[in-house]
Amino acid sequence: MYNKGLLIYNGHAGSLTPELLGTALSILSLALSELNVRRTDQPGEAQQLCKELGEQYDVVYILGGDGTVHECINGLALLDHPPVIGVLPGGTCNDFSRALMMPQQMAKAAEVLNERYTRTIDIGTVNGQYFTNFYGIGLIAETSQNINPDLKGAFGKISYFLSTLQTVRTAEPFTFHLTHDEGESDGEAIMIYVANGRFLGTNPLPFPASSLEDGLLDVLIIREAGLPLLRELVSRKTEEVWNPQYSNIDYIRTTKATLTTAQPMPADMDGEIYLETPAELGVLSGKLTFLIGEPVADIQ
């Protein structure tokens, strides 16, 4: 039973309004004896709150986008006894909450969290940090750096696609070397995408439904020949069948990987850029338990 809860919300979340916040609080409080609320405004604040306060609560709710979730997880993953975690969609894309099968309407998401279906899932690791959805270099990091903050606030996820189209025109290949469970991969690429989740820019990726709990990372290496397929991939609206093993995109599933590049390159983790290559990547399994949108029996 969860009696004591903490809700952390990003005061600058892309789609959050006082009305939506009030809706979430009114619904979540029905299932708890105590619900405390903390607003964050500065980078790193959510991570510090989770690290300092997380073990005092039975459940921590994260209301924000993928960046807010990223910060909180980097605090909660450090705890010996982390609380159960619930994610409410309050950002631009909310890709990780989609991977958890959460509704994207605030009231419905809060109601589903109160149903208390849980799932212990994988978290990606890189150079002592954690990511929930993805780690990427090349085109995806350039895209994040090119996003106009004002455009993002006004147009939401559309800004990601506008930025992608602008970046693709000038994408430069880079030299890389990747060691993984299957051996080694090297050469030139325009993007390397290491996924733990199953969505990118609100669009489903062709990874197994069990990818959040299989102890594996899904790695896509996009060389120049794979660029048309990448455009097709990020513009898909449904979860169509597509096997990247039979395309111009290299697809690798691995428990760990070492990635080096000829020059240090900025890396994007869940939309946040603060690390560079080289990278030691892995999987943290069995550590964090999340509230999900469906009972486990229905998704296995």
Side-chain angles (χ1 to χ4, degrees), residues 10-62:
N10 180 359
H12 304 289
S15 60
L16 183 60
T17 64
E19 292 76 18
L20 287 175
L21 176 61
T23 295
L25 292 174
S26 63
I27 295 172
L28 294 174
S29 62
L30 295 174
L32 295 165
S33 300
E34 177 182 341
L35 177 60
N36 294 319
V37 182
R38 298 292 294 265
R39 167 179 168 145
T40 66
D41 294 292
Q42 301 299 324
E45 191 175 353
Q47 178 176 342
Q48 193 63 27
L49 281 174
C50 287
K51 182 180 177 181
E52 293 178 354
L53 303 178
E55 290 186 335
Q56 301 176 24
Y57 293 91
D58 302 309
V59 58
V60 168
Y61 300 108
I62 306 167

Side-chain angles (χ1 to χ4, degrees), residues 275-294:
L275 292 182
E276 292 184 334
T277 57
E280 292 287 341
L281 295 135
V283 179
L284 178 67
S285 296
K287 175 75 172 181
L288 298 179
T289 298
F290 287 81
L291 295 164
I292 62 168
E294 297 179 28

Side-chain angles (χ1 to χ4, degrees), residues 4-5 24 28 83 93 176 180 204 227 253 259 291:
K4 188 176 180 181
L28 294 174
C93 291
F176 75 94
H180 47 83
L227 192 53
R253 306 190 73 209
L259 174 62
L291 295 164

Side-chain angles (χ1 to χ4, degrees), residues 60-232:
V60 168
Y61 300 108
I62 306 167
L63 199 170
D66 294 310
T68 305
V69 175
H70 176 85
E71 275 201 33
C72 290
I73 295 310
N74 273 276
L76 295 169
L78 301 176
L79 302 178
D80 292 331
H81 304 287
V84 172
I85 305 162
V87 179
L88 290 155
T92 304
C93 291
N94 306 309
D95 283 333
F96 187 63
S97 77
R98 294 174 193 273
L100 296 174
M101 296 167 292
M102 292 301 302
Q104 295 303 295
Q105 298 75 37
M106 187 66 70
K108 182 60 177 176
E111 290 170 358
V112 167
L113 290 178
N114 280 353
E115 294 176 5
R116 298 182 176 178
Y117 299 126
T118 61
R119 187 179 179 188
T120 300
I121 68 171
D122 300 333
I123 298 297
T125 68
V126 54
N127 297 357
Q129 301 294 311
Y130 303 93
F131 61 93
T132 56
N133 202 44
F134 76 89
Y135 167 97
I137 63 171
L139 178 61
I140 192 163
E142 294 171 25
T143 297
S144 291
Q145 291 175 317
N146 288 342
I147 289 174
N148 183 319
D150 296 330
L151 182 65
K152 180 180 177 182
F155 297 105
K157 68 181 182 181
I158 297 174
S159 64
Y160 284 91
F161 298 114
L162 292 175
S163 181
T164 297
L165 291 174
Q166 293 166 356
T167 306
V168 162
R169 298 192 188 102
T170 59
E172 292 290 338
F174 56 88
T175 302
F176 75 94
H177 183 83
L178 182 74
T179 62
H180 47 83
D181 292 351
E182 299 176 12
E184 300 182 7
S185 301
D186 54 24
E188 289 191 338
I190 61 167
M191 173 172 147
I192 295 178
Y193 183 85
V194 182
N196 181 58
R198 301 180 63 239
F199 287 82
L200 172 60
T202 76
N203 293 310
L205 293 168
F207 302 145
S210 62
S211 61
L212 280 174
E213 55 185 354
D214 58 8
L216 297 171
L217 298 170
D218 294 278
V219 183
L220 298 179
I221 301 173
I222 296 92
R223 305 177 193 270
E224 282 192 286
L227 192 53
L229 187 58
L230 175 62
R231 290 195 189 99
E232 176 188 339

Side-chain angles (χ1 to χ4, degrees), residues 233-252:
L233 179 63
V234 299
S235 64
R236 294 186 315 152
K237 300 301 179 186
T238 60
E239 211 162 341
E240 302 165 1
V241 176
W242 175 65
N243 189 340
Q245 291 177 315
Y246 300 101
S247 73
N248 288 321
I249 296 179
D250 299 349
Y251 178 43
I252 300 161

